[in-house]
Amino acid sequence: VKGLCRAPSSDRVAYGTNDRGYTRVRLAHLDGSKRRSCESVSTPGQGVVAEVSLSDDGCLVYTFTDRATPANLYLTESTSGETRPLVDPNAPPVSELVAARHPERGQVTATDGTSIEVFYTLPPESERPAPAVIDLHGGPERQRRPSFNSFVASLVDAGIAVVEPNVRGSTGRGTHFEQRDDRGRRWAAVHDVHDIGQWVHDRRWSETVSLHGSSYGGLLVGLALGRYDLFHRGAFVSGIAHLPTFLERTDDWRQPLREAEYGSLSGDSALLERLSPRSWVDEIDGPVYIA
């Protein structure tokens, strides 16, 4: 449950649930600590809702975005249920970017049977087979959701298919899934990238499959390019090239949090070296863009 919001002086509570990336908003009436009734709230479409505010009379104000709509502020009336934007959504220059296609949602079955959720956006059939890019999110405690993404829109507009996965370690599916890439289990997330690439190949959407990722996503790009010959090229943007250096130089407050994720400098030095893209440079066969 995200975005829990209680009206200042009433028994109304608004909240959102994460349904495989999409937000479902509900309005509940409480009787003490118990929910008395609950109703769904109509939003502008299927997308992502955040920053919910609720008035005593049940009016909701929130931000909403989907793949074709940049984040905007909306009001939903309590009596009529009418929803309207509070900021002109057609104001330039954003309107020139809203040519993005809505993604499809898919399931990739990894080699070990784990189900990996993906969003994929394809160019028109007349432009296929097309180059494909698997775009890996950072974090790793993050989730790719169907919010507006001008980068993805520009790739699809250029005739490139884009696949956005939530490999194991991503949020949105509970603590167990989020921890399935910790320390030595990192290779499972890297192999998820391979299985997603094979899934794309099997559907014959594309003749080439490339990888793009920033921060932690860049680490996955480097490891996947080094371990598998399935991918043709990659983009490594602000990626983690060497985990020991990253852990040594991150802020003091952050180091124990990241060691719980990747391994400790004192006890896991060999693992950290093995999980660093720098260790796999000689195995990479193909062009890599590094930013």
Side-chain angles (χ1 to χ4, degrees):
V1 176
K2 289 270 191 176
L4 188 68
C5 176
R6 185 162 187 166
S9 57
S10 78
D11 63 352
R12 296 173 184 262
V13 172
Y15 63 94
T17 56
N18 184 338
D19 181 6
R20 291 176 294 177
Y22 294 90
T23 306
R24 311 300 181 197
V25 180
R26 292 175 173 83
L27 184 64
H29 300 264
L30 301 183
D31 183 3
S33 61
K34 298 181 179 179
R35 187 177 67 180
R36 190 169 68 235
S37 63
C38 184
E39 58 190 82
S40 297
V41 176
S42 176
T43 57
Q46 286 195 328
V48 180
V49 172
E51 302 170 319
V52 178
S53 294
L54 176 64
S55 66
D56 285 340
D57 63 359
C59 289
L60 281 170
V61 174
Y62 50 88
T63 61
F64 172 84
T65 176
D66 63 19
R67 188 45 58 86
T69 310
N72 199 358
L73 197 62
Y74 286 84
L75 168 69
T76 297
E77 297 280 1
S78 59
T79 53
S80 65
E82 177 190 358
T83 297
R84 66 177 187 276
L86 296 179
V87 181
D88 180 6
N90 297 313
V94 172
S95 60
E96 298 173 6
L97 296 174
V98 190
R101 299 164 65 92
H102 288 280
E104 301 291 334
R105 189 164 55 189
Q107 299 282 339
V108 176
T109 302
T111 304
D112 65 356
T114 300
S115 177
I116 305 299
E117 296 179 348
V118 301
F119 290 101
Y120 62 93
T121 314
L122 306 179
E125 290 190 17
S126 60
E127 299 180 26
R128 299 178 209 166
V133 170
I134 299 173
D135 187 24
L136 301 164
H137 68 67
E141 305 94 337
R142 201 171 297 169
Q143 180 187 15
R144 189 55 63 90
R145 304 185 69 183
S147 53
F148 182 74
N149 189 320
S150 59
F151 173 67
V152 172
S154 65
L155 291 179
V156 177
D157 188 55
I160 298 171
V162 182
V163 179
E164 303 164 85
N166 288 308
V167 299
R168 68 191 81 194
S170 303
T171 54
R173 293 181 61 181
T175 302
H176 176 68
F177 189 83
E178 188 176 334
Q179 294 176 345
R180 288 184 65 184
D181 67 338
D182 288 356
R183 296 179 177 253
R185 291 177 285 184
R186 183 75 44 203
W187 289 121
V190 179
H191 200 74
D192 287 346
V193 179
H194 169 275
D195 290 340
I196 293 161
Q198 189 62 56
W199 183 79
V200 174
H201 272 292
D202 291 345
R203 274 148 187 77
R204 303 187 185 280
W205 291 337
S206 175
E207 295 176 342
T208 62
V209 180
S210 306
L211 300 176
H212 174 274
S214 60
S215 191
Y216 171 74
L219 181 142
L220 288 181
V221 167
L223 293 176
L225 289 175
R227 287 203 64 174
Y228 309 114
D229 59 6
L230 181 68
F231 305 106
H232 297 82
R233 59 186 65 85
F236 182 91
V237 182
S238 304
I240 303 172
H242 189 234
L243 281 170
T245 303
F246 166 73
L247 292 172
E248 288 166 0
R249 298 185 182 182
T250 195
D251 290 338
D252 290 341
W253 67 268
R254 193 169 182 243
Q255 187 183 81
L257 300 175
R258 296 298 83 199
E259 285 189 326
E261 178 74 45
Y262 298 116
S264 69
L265 287 166
S266 59
D268 299 302
S269 58
L271 174 66
L272 293 172
E273 288 289 347
R274 185 74 173 162
L275 288 170
S276 295
R278 193 177 76 174
S279 301
W280 294 86
V281 167
D282 292 340
E283 305 300 323
I284 295 176
D285 183 17
V288 181
Y289 172 79
I290 300 175

